[in-house]
Each structure stands twice: as C-alpha cells, then as structure tokens.
Amino acid sequence: FGGVYLRACRLNGLLDECQRATTVLSELARDAPGRPYANLVFLQGHAALLRGELGESVRLLHEALASAERHGAATLRPACYFALTEAYAKLGDGDAAAQMLARARAVVPADYLFMQSAFALATGWAQAAAGALTDAVDTVLTEAAVARERGQPTHELACLQAAAQWDAGDRIAVIAARARELAGELDLPLAKTIAAHADSLNRGDGEALLAVVEEYRRIGDRCTAADAAALAAVLLTAAQS
C-alpha cells in the first residue's frame, strides 16, 4: 500500500503531502517495531530521494533496509536497494550504486514481474553513474516497451522520463511523441510535465525547458528539476553562440 501511495502522490504532484503524512505516521509507529515502521521509513527515504535530499534519503533508506532485514520484509528489501541505487547514482558514487544493484539482483526472484520496471530503472541509474549513458537509455527504453505491452502506462512513463534525463540523442523524438500520448491518456500532472520535458528537448528549446524546471519544482520532484535546469543551461548557451 505504501508504495502505491507514494506513486500516486508523485503522479499527482503531492510529494510534500506524502512526506508530511509519512513523517506523522512514522512517529506514531516508532514504538511499534516491525514491518509497518520499516515501510514508513522507506516512504520517507524515497520521498526525500525524489525531493533531492540525497544524504537524508540514503540515511533513511539504510534504516528501512536494516529494519526490513530484521523483520523479514521480502518485498521491501529490493525496494530499498532500488532506491539506494538511484540515490548513490545521483550522488555520483558509481561504485556504491553498482553494489546496491548487485544486492538487489541477488534478492529479486525471477517471477517478481511487478518489480521489473523498478529493477530496470535502478539498472539504468547504475549504468548512468558509471558513465554508460547509451546503455542506460537502452535499458529503460526496452523496459518502456515491455511496460506498454503489459498495459502499465505509469511504469512506461517513468522509463521515458529517465531516458529523457540521460540524453537520449536522436531517440528523443520518439520519446516525446509517446510521452505526449501518455499525457493525454493519463491526465496527471506529472505526465504532462514529462511530456513537456521531452518535447522541449526534442525542439532544443531552452526557454521551454526552464518552464518545465519550474513545474518539476512545483510538484516536488526537485532532483529531476536540477537535471532539467542543467540541460536548459546547455541549450540556452548553445542558442547564444
């Protein structure tokens, strides 16, 4: 339930609300050790990751992981590893990201298909942290196609967003077209922002990308906002030269 709640908050631009709710609930559950507390700390850590508070995210996610290992929360452990992979990748620590991904691979059963998209995204982040951006884009676009076949539009959208962040090159036109279709189907704030993100990259429009940066900030996705701001600066500089 917790993971579904976090995903819903993110898609609807309510990450700050998610953080407030999980903080209150985790305080209430602090004296009741077990899986509920581990799940709440994980949600706090994942929300911090999305907001760009990377050091705090790593701390909370390791706390959640330790609790999950003590209490046998089988599905929470890989979720912690996935999030830690992304957090370390965003911190620029490729070795730690690779280590977390290896641990995830060791505990994710082959038949856990519901984790496939999260595993692909974590793999992509580890590849990106190692400097293999083309491989990272290949990984998430392959998973985007699988998610589309399975009828998992929000999973597909997450993969398209990651590909846009990692300089998809001449594939950005296809990504932008599909993101636009998903935005029309889903009618969610984040879907519209991702579509605008991909479209501005496809057109090489730095000013439009700056508007996307503000939208990411508004919905609480500050890490992606920082990535988009860096790309906007590149586009604007190129336009002036």
Side-chain angles (χ1 to χ4, degrees):
F1 171 78
V4 173
Y5 174 65
L6 177 60
R7 191 177 305 116
C9 285
R10 181 168 185 256
L11 288 167
N12 285 283
L14 297 172
L15 282 177
D16 289 339
E17 174 59 30
C18 175
Q19 176 64 14
R20 284 191 291 271
T22 54
T23 297
V24 170
L25 290 171
S26 63
E27 286 301 318
L28 292 173
R30 187 172 293 278
D31 295 326
R35 295 182 187 180
Y37 179 68
N39 274 282
L40 287 165
V41 176
F42 167 75
L43 288 178
Q44 285 184 282
H46 204 166
L49 170 61
L50 293 171
R51 291 197 317 276
E53 298 169 4
L54 300 178
E56 179 68 358
S57 172
V58 167
R59 182 188 70 79
L60 288 165
L61 289 168
H62 273 295
E63 182 181 345
L65 177 61
S67 183
E69 289 174 338
R70 284 197 303 272
H71 299 290
T75 58
L76 185 57
R77 287 176 62 202
C80 289
Y81 287 134
F82 296 152
L84 281 165
T85 299
E86 181 176 343
Y88 280 122
K90 289 179 174 178
L91 285 166
D93 191 339
D95 290 341
Q99 184 180 61
M100 291 298 107
L101 182 65
R103 291 181 181 178
R105 186 176 290 112
V107 299
V108 177
D111 60 349
Y112 273 28
L113 298 180
F114 66 96
M115 288 188 174
Q116 183 172 321
S117 294
F119 186 75
L121 284 163
T123 300
W125 277 110
Q127 291 169 324
L133 290 177
T134 298
D135 290 342
V137 173
D138 287 344
T139 295
V140 295
L141 289 184
T142 297
E143 176 57 25
V146 172
R148 184 175 185 176
E149 290 177 1
R150 286 187 178 149
Q152 298 173 310
T154 59
H155 291 216
E156 182 186 359
L157 188 68
C159 292
L160 295 179
Q161 181 185 30
Q165 286 180 257
W166 298 330
D167 186 11
D170 58 6
R171 290 178 285 184
I172 193 62
V174 174
I175 293 169
R178 181 56 184 157
R180 190 162 51 248
E181 290 176 2
L182 286 171
E185 293 172 10
L186 296 172
D187 193 27
L188 293 167
L190 182 62
K192 291 180 173 63
T193 302
I194 292 171
H197 183 177
D199 181 64
S200 61
L201 289 175
N202 185 42
R203 293 185 290 109
D205 189 336
E207 292 290 346
L209 192 52
L210 283 178
V212 170
V213 170
E214 291 307 312
E215 279 302 302
Y216 277 128
R217 287 174 178 162
R218 185 184 63 79
I219 64 179
D221 197 342
R222 298 184 185 105
C223 250
T224 308
D227 286 344
L231 281 172
V234 171
L235 291 176
L236 290 169
T237 300
Q240 294 170 358
S241 61

